[in-house]
Amino acid sequence: MSAPGKSRMPRVARPPEVPSGSDTPADLGLYRVLRDDGTAAPTTDPALDDDVAWRAYRYMKLMRLLDARMILLQRQGRVGFYGACTGQEAVPIGCALAIEPNDWVFQALRESSMMLVRGLPLATYVAQIFGNSGDLLKGRMQPSHMSARQVNQVSWSSCIGNHLPQAVGAAMAAKAKGDGQVVLGFIGDGGTSEPDFHQALTFAATYQPPCVLICQNNHFAISVRPWSQTASPTYAVKGRAYGIRSERVDGNDVLAMTHAVRRAADRARRGEGPTFIEAVTYRIGAHSTSDDPSRYRTQEEVDAWLARDPVSLLRRHLVTTGRLDDARDKALEDELNATIAAAVDEAEAHPPPPRESIFDDVYAELPWHLQEQRQEMVDAGPAPGHGGSG
């Protein structure tokens, strides 16, 4: 037993792992394409199609601006909650650019932006944050828990980690059907401490389904550091321990993420089994609008990671390669801000979901007794203080 008044586990202080041009982690390396100055390393440059970097920049910048706008709306009381992905945009955008339209995504908190790359209208996306009748989920999910069948993307669960076995199960079904689909499943570094993570890797290794499992190591499970989650030198070695092909990728380098996930998805599609990827990134902002990160980290640490901010890094690359200048960047920002403003106006104008919608989406054919209950609710008219049909 520990002495009275003393902690059983001493507090461990460890500096953050900031990827740099000279960083070579001891285990499984760190795949990177973009140097700090934005140039591509010739030995690792995958020479992706010319439009990949531009599309990536457009969507990453869109998310950076949208996050800022949504946080402002939350502070104004117009939405109740928001989880931004500031500093982590390269992972979801790179992944979305790497997969096929018929592939499935089981996201965690910070991958919902993949839905926009895959074709979901921005106003529909924003309506989910408001939770009104424009929301595909009819206001039933918490804000920032997007889902859309039309782009094959499943909402994450705030019960951390339990969507990862679902992703593996969906991949097992795809393998059984032989339809060529690949499933991406996401988890955060803190989620690797959950039993569901280990169950998912056990099934993935044993049955070899076509899946790519991605851990966003953003260095915080809300406020808990990686070294309080694991004694392993990296998260990637956990996948290798289960017998799964595993690698570490610079999660702030969108070109590296796109190439690594595309390779993994292609292998899975060829029947070569799963891949586990640790995307090394950093959460620049708060965990959510309910969080104050200044209570558990220093601004100096944040500034160190800002040197490889994914949006700025890709901007340097586009400038270096002659595809972007200040004028074009300003025009893009003005266009995106106008697009966001129009989407917010459209989404916010929707009324609340009608009360009778609680009977939807459970049965293919509504049983007679529920039909009667639904009609009684409609006949009763709107509830006090609740306009519209509900």
Side-chain angles (χ1 to χ4, degrees):
M1 294 180 63
S2 59
K6 293 196 175 182
S7 171
R8 293 171 184 258
M9 296 183 64
R11 186 178 183 85
V12 179
R14 192 180 300 184
E17 179 193 14
V18 183
S20 67
S22 61
D23 179 44
T24 306
D27 212 323
L28 291 179
L30 185 69
Y31 175 57
R32 171 183 293 136
V33 173
L34 296 179
R35 301 177 175 125
D36 291 351
D37 62 1
T39 58
T43 56
T44 58
D45 186 359
L48 299 173
D49 295 341
D50 288 343
D51 69 333
V52 170
W54 177 251
R55 288 187 67 206
Y57 185 68
R58 181 183 185 87
Y59 281 109
M60 289 166 65
K61 197 173 183 73
L62 171 66
M63 285 311 302
R64 184 65 60 90
L65 296 170
L66 180 64
D67 280 352
R69 181 65 183 272
M70 290 298 104
I71 291 172
L72 178 61
L73 294 184
Q74 193 277 335
R75 299 303 188 225
Q76 293 173 344
R78 292 159 67 184
V79 299
F81 171 89
Y82 188 73
C85 68
T86 307
Q88 298 180 230
E89 295 92 346
V91 176
I93 302 305
C95 290
L97 293 171
I99 59 176
E100 300 296 330
N102 67 329
D103 294 334
W104 279 83
V105 175
F106 286 71
Q107 67 177 65
L109 172 58
R110 306 187 202 279
E111 292 84 31
S112 56
S113 57
M114 294 178 66
M115 303 168 76
L116 299 175
V117 182
R118 307 184 80 204
L120 189 74
L122 182 58
T124 304
Y125 182 91
V126 173
Q128 197 282 327
I129 303 168
F130 285 100
N132 56 31
S133 59
D135 173 18
L136 295 174
L137 308 181
K138 300 181 174 67
R140 298 172 183 172
M141 288 293 285
Q142 295 171 269
S144 297
H145 286 61
M146 290 78 168
S147 179
R149 184 184 294 271
Q150 67 207 69
V151 292
N152 288 3
Q153 191 145 333
V154 180
S155 173
W156 71 291
S157 169
S158 284
C159 301
I160 299 300
N162 64 11
H163 51 276
L164 206 65
Q166 297 166 8
V168 174
M172 291 169 63
K175 181 178 181 179
K177 291 188 295 183
D179 57 14
Q181 290 180 328
V182 171
V183 179
L184 267 60
F186 291 88
I187 197 165
D189 47 283
T192 64
S193 294
E194 295 293 328
D196 298 274
F197 169 77
H198 301 279
Q199 293 159 4
L201 266 62
T202 295
F203 274 79
T206 303
Y207 294 99
Q208 294 288 293
C211 62
V212 184
L213 306 179
I214 300 165
C215 171
Q216 280 219 59
N217 176 10
N218 70 3
H219 290 75
F220 296 98
I222 303 183
S223 62
V224 178
R225 299 292 194 149
W227 52 87
S228 296
Q229 299 284 352
T230 182
S232 297
T234 66
Y235 288 100
V237 298
K238 294 178 181 289
R240 189 173 66 182
Y242 279 93
I244 298 174
R245 183 195 297 264
S246 303
E247 60 181 309
R248 299 179 88 225
V249 180
D250 182 352
N252 286 8
D253 181 342
V254 72
L255 300 187
M257 282 301 309
T258 302
H259 186 224
V261 174
R262 184 175 292 177
R263 285 183 307 183
D266 288 346
R267 286 194 300 265
R269 223 179 298 279
R270 293 193 300 264
E272 298 174 18
T275 300
F276 179 65
I277 294 174
E278 176 190 352
V280 183
T281 182
Y282 188 83
R283 196 194 74 215
I284 294 297
H287 172 73
S288 71
T289 48
S290 301
D291 175 44
D292 177 8
S294 68
R295 297 175 63 87
Y296 52 82
R297 69 182 184 189
T298 65
Q299 186 58 43
E300 289 77 14
E301 177 181 324
V302 177
D303 291 342
W305 277 90
L306 281 171
R308 268 189 84 81
D309 169 71
V311 178
S312 299
L313 180 63
L314 184 56
R315 185 187 190 281
R316 290 196 291 272
H317 176 67
L318 291 171
V319 170
T320 299
T321 55
R323 287 175 283 179
L324 185 67
D325 55 27
D326 289 346
R328 189 178 186 190
D329 199 24
K330 177 64 166 56
L332 175 62
E333 185 165 328
D334 290 345
E335 175 196 341
L336 294 177
N337 274 323
T339 299
I340 291 169
V344 170
D345 288 344
E346 179 182 342
E348 195 170 16
H350 288 290
R355 290 186 300 159
E356 61 268 22
S357 68
I358 65 171
F359 294 96
D360 298 341
D361 307 320
V362 178
Y363 296 94
E365 295 183 12
L366 200 64
W368 66 269
H369 63 290
L370 293 182
Q371 293 182 31
E372 289 186 356
Q373 292 178 31
R374 185 183 190 278
Q375 190 59 49
E376 287 177 10
M377 179 177 285
V378 172
D379 294 343
H386 193 293
S389 63

